[in-house]
Amino acid sequence: MEDKGIDVKSLSDVELKEQLARHGVIGAVIMRTTRGVYEKKLANLIGVGKGNEADTGCHVAQHNQNGSVSSDSVAVVLPASTVQTSVSSSDLVSRNTDSNSDLVSLDRAESVDSASSNSHLVSSNADPISSSIDSVSTGTDPIPSNIDSVSTSTDPVSSNIDSGSSSADLASSNADSVSKPTPLYFAVATSTSTPEETRSSLSPFYHDHEVLRKAIKGTVGTRFKKFSDQSKAEEFSKTVFPEELGPKYSLERALSPLPGVKKTRDKNVLAKIIQEGNAEEFLKTVWGNPRYLLGSGDTPEIIHPGTRRNALHLAALENQLEICKHIMSIIQSDRFWSEVYPVSDVLIDAAMSSNEKKRIEGIDPEVVREGKRENALRLREESKSRLVDLYLNIQDGNERAKVKVSEKHYTPLHIASMYGFVDIVEFLMSFPATDTTKKDNQGRTAADLACTKSKSKSNEELKSKIKHLINNPSIYYVPVIRSIDNSSPASLGSPVVLDDSSLTGSQSLNESLPLVGPPQVTTSPLVGQAFAGPLSPAKARGLLKEWKSPSCSDLKKKASLMKRSDPDRGLERIGRLLAHKDGIGWTEYWEFLGSFADFSKPEGLRKLDKHIFTLCHSAPLVTPSIGSVRSSSNRTRSRLSLLTSGEDSPKQKLFADEISKDEEEVGVVSNGDHAHSKPTTNESEDPLPLVSSIEPGPSLEEGLERMNLNEDISPLKSEPDTIEYSCKTPSRIDKNNAVYIDGGSVPSKLDLDVLLALCGVEVDVREYPHVYQWKRLIESYNEEERKQWATPRSLNKHTLRRTEESLRPFSPLVYYSPPPLSPLLSNSPSSARRTPLPFKNFPLTPQHRMPINTPTKTWF
Amino acid sequence: MSSTSQKHRNFVGEPMGQKPVTELAGIGEALGGRLAAKGFDKAYVVLGQFLLLKMNEELFKEWLNAECGANSKQQSDCYNCLRDWCDAFL
């Protein structure tokens, strides 16, 4: 049968192979299973195969496939010429999918009795409709049409009603199969956005949908429905829908110039890059087509189709922290979004449908564009946060998949936790959007899975660390940030993550702080002055918002007053108020304490009490270089305090306090540093004029007088009269004997601040005798007086100077608390060491709170 | 261009292991039954055939048609499925 006379079938395997090779098929493997194929191939090549394989290409319509047509609920009108012939269903299907979106679905069979009658309108001239797809609402309640035979579909109704105009379009060959036509009423309902003239031009109902279609063509927001009942149709036509329904997504959204990444092969390339951790290549690839990270519907692109894992899943799986960072930074970058959805006038214009253009005729195109642009940008922001959320929380696997084995429903966090990749877990947890409560197919959270697949099984430490990281997501604090020298106004920071330890004063943080570069003169270091928390991320944001602009109106007034009248602690006062109102934890930094405290809590009060107590007793000790007069008096006082401190009875203790307060006052006055805080400040460092210049405080004479008096009583140890005095006349507050929080002898703004912080707190005289005393003292001043109190500026000055002196280098990005304060405080035994609060980056990437325990890391 | 089917993605997403032949895209109950009857009960056996035919599209499709009467869509699905799998795992 062949030109060479070869019977393909009779060839041996080797011969067949040779023959194939001769015809260009090199290296064929001839085996039992492959032989048949190769025989055919050879036969083909030789030219023998006489149409064995020739498929006619025209399949007979298979009725069981028609379901796929109807399921699209797209009505198809067959061109009249083709109606009579049997049309291959596959042909129909393919056409259907091609023009899917272009077709307006019209279901007209609803009221026709005959179950077999089905309407199929093909709008092969889809143009007029496709352009107005957004304006014409699709047919209401499409009933599943039970198509028995595509090829014989007809529309008996229309052909009966309007046989003249529609019979050309509609197949009517089998019209006789359906006997009784019912008149149909197509009613049009408008929406509020429908122009008035269009509305009035519409008739209550139409008999023919073609007419109707023409009438409502190009009108946004109209919908129509068919009725068999005229009154119902008229009723429907009176309906006015509120606004346009359906998705607000305008077409400009759909216009991304970038093709999606559809090829599994391309995705595999990216997967491999991620696997290798080749950050450079990764960036190149992704920026080459950002669609690698953005799938259809603005969801993460599935890079690994089987497990439905996206890039972040894969990066977490491969422990590629670098890649993780890149992914998250890319999808949050503006560049990414502007590449995916560029906003340009050309595109906006192009995106406008002709109908839309008609509608906005007469309006300044620039205005329209502006609106569109805004809209597009807003949409972009929305999609951005959504995408971030999806990337962090989307679970792999497919819920509907038949094979459940591989469907684990892991989030990236699950994966990282499972394999014990602490860095990745930490990174993922740094996003507020990360949801730790997501469960896998067996209901396990990421924390449950910690280290279950880790290679180093024995690592309990790692396990607990991961668990800790995941289980403590709500340690977010809203900070008040101040520069230590008050060079810039205080502000509220976005929520940060703080370790508990940093608030209670662990010193290790200080050491672990990265110290980069020389001090910058221009950038004053910022410190977190106060924190509200811990809170969940959402609550933290809510508090921040409330804090910035309280929703309650009278609080608003109060807040703005506080903020303006009190630059030093105004923000804190508002925050305190809010925090206490909502029962949120509150803590603020008190320089005199050297630590964080909340005075509304017993703990804070104890600290304050201790401070005042220590202040009283230690004051003389911290004044080593003083003038002769004061030194002698101080010596007296220290002696006195030694004597009195031996007493145990409360009364005597009180007495001792009185006395020591007295000492304290004098001691500090002579210190000179605090002279700045007095209203009549003398800048000179010379102690003598300072002392004499003190105006509101006790005069020198008075002080000396008291000193003498004290000196007199001191040998008596417990002088009855004095005890009497301090106990019997508690109402009389001896301002001369007073001690103030900043250690000065005159009340300062600090006292007021503390008093305000104490506001509303009942101070128990037995538990906090010192605080009680002090509070009474401060309260004895009236409002006016209090306002006159100056801020203890010396403290600030001091702080700054010491910072510079110590030449402690710091990075301008790193926040930390100022180093120890005045010698007075740092020497006092009780004042805790400074608690530095380094947190990084939160002004840079407001969405991220950086875990404070990894200050050396910069994510981006 | 339409995207690949779910079945395709499931198959291509992971090693085929002991998956039955019906897991292949384009191979349903009917074709799978026919293939199994001829000994191609597991996906990897079909893969073997696929490889024997040197991943040649024409030959493989031809073979599939001859073996179980797959139509052209089924042939393409199955071919693409195996090719993508090989791209990913070979």
Side-chain angles (χ1 to χ4, degrees), chain A residues 462-481:
Chain A
L462 192 68
K463 194 169 171 179
S464 63
K465 192 175 177 193
I466 287 176
K467 281 194 172 169
H468 179 81
L469 274 173
I470 295 172
N471 286 332
N472 298 303
S474 63
I475 331 175
Y476 303 129
Y477 291 83
V478 182
V480 177
I481 305 162

Side-chain angles (χ1 to χ4, degrees), chain A residues 513-526:
Chain A
L513 192 69
L515 303 173
V516 195
Q520 306 241 333
V521 189
T522 48
T523 325
S524 165
L526 300 171

Side-chain angles (χ1 to χ4, degrees), chain A residues 87-234:
Chain A
V87 176
S88 84
S89 62
S90 59
D91 182 24
L92 197 61
V93 171
S94 67
R95 193 192 302 201
N96 209 342
T97 44
D98 286 343
S99 55
N100 210 344
S101 59
D102 296 335
L103 295 177
V104 176
S105 120
L106 299 171
D107 193 354
R108 305 168 73 192
E110 192 185 48
S111 58
V112 181
D113 300 340
S114 163
S116 64
S117 74
N118 299 286
S119 61
H120 287 279
L121 307 176
V122 161
S123 48
S124 33
N125 55 338
D127 292 344
I129 306 165
S130 65
S131 63
S132 58
I133 185 77
D134 55 336
S135 62
V136 180
S137 310
T138 53
T140 47
D141 54 21
I143 53 164
S145 43
N146 39 350
I147 304 163
D148 289 328
S149 158
V150 171
S151 56
T152 60
S153 67
T154 60
D155 195 317
V157 181
S158 307
S159 53
N160 269 353
I161 295 166
D162 196 355
S163 57
S165 68
S166 61
S167 60
D169 291 19
L170 300 166
S172 57
S173 60
N174 288 355
D176 50 352
S177 70
V178 185
S179 48
K180 31 176 189 165
T182 322
L184 279 186
Y185 302 89
F186 292 95
V188 179
T190 53
S191 80
T192 46
S193 60
T194 315
E196 194 51 52
E197 60 267 27
T198 318
R199 208 176 292 169
S200 53
S201 70
L202 291 169
S203 55
F205 57 86
Y206 297 85
H207 284 302
D208 179 28
H209 103 278
E210 292 290 331
V211 182
L212 173 138
R213 229 167 56 183
K214 267 175 206 141
I216 62 168
K217 187 182 160 193
T219 314
V220 179
T222 51
R223 346 170 92 194
F224 62 90
K225 196 176 180 180
K226 60 187 172 308
F227 295 91
S228 51
D229 188 348
Q230 187 181 337
S231 58
K232 272 186 189 159
E234 277 174 40

Side-chain angles (χ1 to χ4, degrees), chain A residues 2 52 133 171 174 269 378 384 386 394 399 402 494 522 528 673 687 689 701 733 746 757 801 830 848 854:
Chain A
E2 303 62 15
N52 276 351
I133 185 77
N174 288 355
V269 172
R378 193 175 44 77
K384 191 195 281 185
R386 206 174 119 244
I394 207 163
E399 290 189 9
K402 276 183 194 161
S494 35
T522 48
D673 261 337
E701 287 84 355
I733 290 156
V746 286
R801 201 174 64 224
S830 79
H848 307 158
T854 57

